Amino acid sequence: DSGVTQTPKHLITATGQRVTLRCSPRSGDLSVYWYQQSLDQGLQFLIQYYNGEERAKGNILERFSAQQFPDLHSELNLSSLELGDSALYFCASSPWEGQLASPLHFGNGTRLTVT
Amino acid sequence: DAKTTQPPSMDCAEGRAANLPCNHSTISGNEYVYWYRQIHSQGPQYIIHGLKNNETNEMASLIITEDRKSSTLILPHATLRDTAVYYCIVRPRGGSARQLTFGSGTQLTVLP
């Protein structure tokens, strides 16, 4: 158990809809990262938050957004969903930035299916 | 970030040591080598990381060559549960962007 909790485990929705994925980081971790893994793309970095602020952006679509709340949990919002958004979405967390070599620890993901 | 090169697949007999190579010839002095694995659609699992010295923990050993251009992850006694995709990742020590960049990894299959 990595200590990173993601809900829900599975999500099935229709094209055009909007969903919210939730992530609770490990206790004490200030950074949260979101990744997408689809069958043909591998693990793709989407976005990172540190202590409530956006720190880095990867290949995140404009239809997607994220935020990190004061209690450090994070939500990834996906809107105007398309079939191609079907994927596994992983959240990871790491400690404060002073521990620069600290590894990321990943949750077990949310499987999103868009029909 | 420095790029890594790994063989796409490897087999290993159960109970034997699994030695997974990684080439990172363009690594710079402030970059660490990390290893993760992913067991069939589960979240990537952290295994070990190192800078220049060899490292060992309860899961594996990491051997980094003296010139730091390559490394080997060693699973000393592979079991069927070690069947997974193994990722070798190079990550800078500093900077505000702390994400990991995953490549294609090595599919390790442990055979009974």
Side-chain angles (χ1 to χ4, degrees):
Chain A
D1 181 11
S2 68
V4 178
T5 304
Q6 291 188 246
T7 56
K9 287 187 169 51
H10 302 276
L11 200 47
I12 301 174
T13 189
T15 54
Q17 295 298 304
R18 181 179 189 276
V19 297
T20 297
L21 313 183
R22 182 187 169 101
C23 170
S24 294
R26 294 194 319 162
S27 177
D29 283 0
L30 297 179
S31 270
V32 169
Y33 310 75
W34 287 97
Y35 284 79
Q36 178 193 55
Q37 186 174 35
S38 48
L39 277 174
D40 57 347
Q41 291 277 334
L43 278 154
Q44 300 286 318
F45 169 69
L46 295 178
I47 197 163
Q48 176 205 353
Y49 277 82
Y50 175 79
N51 204 21
E53 293 186 3
E54 183 184 302
R55 266 292 196 263
K57 248 181 179 176
N59 300 321
I60 188 166
L61 299 172
E62 285 191 12
R63 300 183 285 107
F64 296 0
S65 65
Q67 54 185 326
Q68 186 180 26
F69 295 87
D71 67 352
L72 301 177
H73 91 271
S74 178
E75 293 181 356
L76 179 67
N77 301 296
L78 315 176
S79 62
S80 302
L81 285 167
E82 302 174 359
L83 296 177
D85 298 326
S86 296
L88 279 165
Y89 291 84
F90 292 105
C91 169
S93 72
S94 67
W96 67 292
E97 287 178 334
Q99 300 181 38
L100 295 172
S102 293
L104 276 62
H105 292 274
F106 286 78
N108 274 326
T110 293
R111 181 177 293 277
L112 173 67
T113 302
V114 182
T115 63
Chain B
D1 297 358
K3 291 186 178 175
T4 62
T5 304
Q6 298 178 254
S9 64
M10 293 181 63
D11 292 340
C12 175
E14 189 178 19
R16 304 295 295 269
N19 296 282
L20 292 99
C22 179
N23 182 289
H24 32 79
S25 58
T26 60
I27 193 170
S28 63
N30 73 337
E31 289 179 318
Y32 280 78
V33 179
Y34 289 78
W35 283 84
Y36 280 76
R37 72 182 182 183
Q38 187 175 25
I39 299 171
H40 188 57
S41 298
Q42 295 180 20
Q45 179 187 21
Y46 165 75
I47 302 172
I48 199 167
H49 73 280
L51 184 63
K52 53 184 177 181
N53 297 321
N54 298 339
E55 302 286 346
T56 296
N57 63 20
E58 65 279 3
M59 288 184 69
S61 295
L62 173 60
I63 309 297
I64 303 175
T65 58
E66 194 169 338
D67 62 8
R68 302 187 68 240
K69 292 184 177 182
S70 65
S71 60
T72 301
L73 178 75
I74 301 172
L75 308 178
H77 305 287
T79 71
L80 299 178
R81 286 181 294 182
D82 291 322
T83 293
V85 178
Y86 286 76
Y87 298 97
C88 168
I89 301 166
V90 172
R91 180 194 191 202
R93 185 175 183 272
S96 59
R98 309 293 300 129
Q99 72 270 23
L100 297 168
T101 301
F102 288 81
S104 306
T106 295
Q107 171 66 58
L108 175 70
T109 302
V110 180
L111 303 171

